[in-house]
Amino acid sequence: MAAQSSHGIQTLLEAEKEASKIVSKARNFRVQRLKEARTEAAKEIEILKAQKKEEFELFEAEHKESSDLDKVKADTEAIIVTINEAFVENKSKVTDRLLSVVTNVQPTIHKNFKRS
């Protein structure tokens, strides 16, 4: 009976070792799979980053306002030139008119003035 019980214990120990090996293999497989998943995720992230960067560059190129900005600058310069020309042309007229208004004063009594 001792041999039989010793044989049963031996069988249980072998089964436990086998189960331990299976669990160890499963853990190693899980760790390996996690590493692979991280690597795949990193690759997908890099691909997505590149794709989004390209989309952004296209969007930026489409909406870049450099041509609009150049047009606005050109329009502004044209307006400034027109204003300067009008200033040079009308400077003497405005000066003469101001001088005539200031020097030709015609005193009048204010309409609200009441003589007491």
Side-chain angles (χ1 to χ4, degrees):
M1 183 150 166
Q4 198 176 26
S5 116
S6 162
H7 180 66
I9 291 175
Q10 190 66 28
T11 306
L12 285 174
L13 287 173
E14 287 176 12
E16 190 176 328
K17 284 181 185 178
E18 187 67 29
S20 177
K21 287 180 186 177
I22 291 172
V23 168
S24 177
K25 277 186 181 181
R27 284 184 182 151
N28 289 338
F29 178 76
R30 191 184 103 224
V31 168
Q32 182 67 27
R33 185 63 194 125
L34 283 173
K35 287 180 184 177
E36 289 173 1
R38 284 187 186 127
T39 305
E40 289 174 16
K43 286 179 185 177
E44 287 180 17
I45 288 171
E46 288 301 317
I47 291 170
L48 187 61
K49 275 185 183 179
Q51 191 177 35
K52 291 298 179 182
K53 184 177 181 180
E54 185 178 325
E55 286 177 17
F56 175 72
E57 288 172 355
L58 286 173
F59 178 81
E60 190 176 41
E62 287 176 8
H63 295 88
K64 192 169 186 180
E65 296 181 12
S66 66
S67 62
D68 292 340
L69 184 62
D70 293 339
K71 183 180 177 190
V72 168
K73 283 182 179 180
D75 290 346
T76 304
E77 290 297 324
I79 291 170
I80 290 172
V81 167
T82 304
I83 291 172
N84 286 333
E85 289 172 356
F87 169 75
V88 169
E89 183 180 319
N90 296 318
K91 179 169 71 169
S92 63
K93 292 178 190 175
V94 170
T95 306
D96 291 341
R97 179 143 183 194
L98 279 172
L99 284 174
S100 72
V101 169
V102 170
T103 57
N104 296 331
V105 178
Q106 297 178 2
T108 58
I109 297 176
H110 194 272
K111 63 182 177 181
N112 292 334
F113 179 72
K114 292 184 183 178
R115 291 186 183 203
S116 33

